[in-house]
Structure formats: C-alpha cells, structure tokens
C-alpha cells in the first residue's frame, strides 16, 4: 500500500515537473508527451534534470547572443549567400505576376515554375473590373462564390459569349479557384 502511495506521489511530482518546465520555458515549444517518455525512462531526479535543462538553455542563449553580436557587414553577409534573399522574398510575396481572371488577385504560388495558379483569398470581382452587363455596376460577388453558382460570365476569352462559372476551368485551365459559397465580400471591398 505504501509503495502504491509512493508511486502515485512520484507520478504527481513528475506531472508537476512537466508543467513547471513547460511554463518556465514558454518561449520554446516543448510538447509534453516526449518529456513524459524521457522522464519515465530516466531514473534521475526531476529536479536534477530541470537544473541541467536550464543550464543548457542558458548556454544556448549565450551562444546565440554572441553569434548575433559578432555582427559584421550585413550587406556583405547577404551577398555571400548562395541565393538572394530579397529576390526570394519578392517572388514569395508577388508570386509569378499572374492574376485571377475575375478579381485580379495575384497568384500566390511561389516562384515562376508552377503549372497551376491559385490565391487563397479572392476579392470581389468588381476589383478586377467585372461589371453587370445590364447596369454596368461593378460586381461585389467573390470568385469562390461565383464558381460554385449557376451564374455565367463572358469575356474576350469566351469571345463575349456567356459561359458558366462552374466551367471556368475550360477557359482558364491554369487557374484553380476553390468553390466556396460561404465567402462573402467584406463591407470594405463593397465600399471600394
């Protein structure tokens, strides 16, 4: 009975230790499951492990700080890299330069070497110049909603003939627009 109580108390101590470690090191993301496995296999006291871990983290922090304090010429460091970070960033932000055929949202596929264009968030089609034929009012529907509807569009690509939005892929085969009827244009875009 005493052995069971002692083991239960040890388990509670281990759980408390894990919680203490995770809260002490909030900046680091440490999943609890691997820590529990390590502690189950470890015969050392949790306090010793905790102290050792804190020392190692402090040493790592000092090492990283020293590396950053070396400094040096940032431009020289950037030019010595095997790639140009500014070009990579530009390509990631601006993609390949292609735009959605309806709302003109830029393609988000990184770089220039991809076969299918996409954008995670489309805008109202009026931002791309799409208008209602009868009234010439800019459209406030979002592309994702349109491609899920029974509505039709026409453009120079369709030779100004009406074409179902659902079948846009036959006209614009290099674009992927996910159908989603839950997306509505925000008040901001409607105003714009």
């Amino acid at each position: 009975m005493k052995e069971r109580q002692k083991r239960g108390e040890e388990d509670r101590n281990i759980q408390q230790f894990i919680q203490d470690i995770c809260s002490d090191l909030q900046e680091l993301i440490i999943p609890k499951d691997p820590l529990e496995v390590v502690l189950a296999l470890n015969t050392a006291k949790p306090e010793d492990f905790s102290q050792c871990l804190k020392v190692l983290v402090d040493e790592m922090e000092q090492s990283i700080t020293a590396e950053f304090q070396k400094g040096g010429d940032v431009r020289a460091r950037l030019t010595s890299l095997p790639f140009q970070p500014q070009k990579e960033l530009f390509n990631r932000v601006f993609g390949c330069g292609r735009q959605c055929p309806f709302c003109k949202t830029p393609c988000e596929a990184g770089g220039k070497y991809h076969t299918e264009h996409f954008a995670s968030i489309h805008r109202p089609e009026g931002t791309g110049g799409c208008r209602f034929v009868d009234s010439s009012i800019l459209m406030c529907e979002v592309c994702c909603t349109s491609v899920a509807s029974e509505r039709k569009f026409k453009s120079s690509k369709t030779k100004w003939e009406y074409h179902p939005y659902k079948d846009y892929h036959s006209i614009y085969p290099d674009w992927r627009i996910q159908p989603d009827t839950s997306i509505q244009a925000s008040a901001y875009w409607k105003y714009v």
Side-chain angles (χ1 to χ4, degrees):
M1 184 69 130
K2 286 184 181 183
E3 192 173 308
R4 232 186 228 166
Q5 286 177 337
K6 185 177 179 182
R7 182 165 273 197
E9 188 175 316
E10 285 177 1
D11 287 345
R12 282 190 295 279
N13 287 342
I14 289 173
Q15 291 297 326
Q16 184 61 45
F17 168 72
I18 291 172
Q19 288 175 344
D20 290 346
I21 287 281
C22 291
S23 66
D24 287 345
L25 302 172
Q26 287 178 349
E27 293 82 30
L28 297 176
I29 299 172
I30 301 176
K32 290 182 183 180
D33 294 341
L35 275 179
E36 288 175 349
V37 170
V38 168
L39 288 175
L41 298 174
N42 190 355
T43 57
K45 295 179 183 176
E47 295 80 21
D48 295 341
F49 176 73
S50 172
Q51 188 60 35
C52 182
L53 188 60
K54 286 180 181 179
V55 168
L56 290 172
V57 169
D58 288 341
E59 288 175 6
M60 185 172 32
E61 180 183 8
Q62 291 172 358
S63 171
I64 291 171
T65 302
E67 184 68 28
F68 277 113
Q69 288 176 343
K70 285 181 186 176
D73 183 21
V74 174
R75 290 179 194 262
R77 186 175 280 192
L78 287 176
T79 56
S80 69
L81 293 173
F83 62 93
Q84 294 181 330
Q86 64 276 22
K87 283 189 178 179
E88 282 294 317
L89 183 60
F90 183 82
N91 287 339
R92 298 269 178 183
V93 171
F94 291 103
C96 65
R98 298 286 305 273
Q99 296 177 320
C100 171
F102 302 114
C103 70
K104 303 299 183 210
T105 296
C107 171
E108 293 176 4
K112 296 177 181 173
Y113 306 107
H114 54 273
T115 58
E116 196 170 59
H117 305 289
F118 72 92
S120 55
I121 300 175
H122 287 268
R123 299 182 280 223
E125 295 174 53
T127 59
C130 292
R131 301 172 180 271
F132 288 105
V133 175
D134 299 338
S135 64
S136 294
I137 294 175
L138 292 173
M139 297 174 65
C140 60
E141 284 77 14
V142 180
C143 308
C144 304
T145 305
S146 294
V147 298
S149 74
E150 297 297 324
R151 295 179 48 239
K152 296 180 178 188
F153 72 94
K154 66 179 183 174
S155 69
S156 60
K157 290 265 189 177
T158 65
K159 298 180 183 169
W160 302 108
E161 296 291 323
Y162 282 104
H163 192 79
Y165 272 99
K166 281 186 177 181
D167 194 28
Y168 79 93
H169 213 267
S170 64
I171 305 297
Y172 303 105
D174 53 345
W175 267 92
R176 180 173 41 97
I177 303 171
Q178 295 293 357
D180 189 350
T181 57
S182 67
I183 296 177
Q184 297 293 318
S186 68
Y188 169 79
W189 284 115
K190 287 179 181 180
Y191 176 77
V192 170

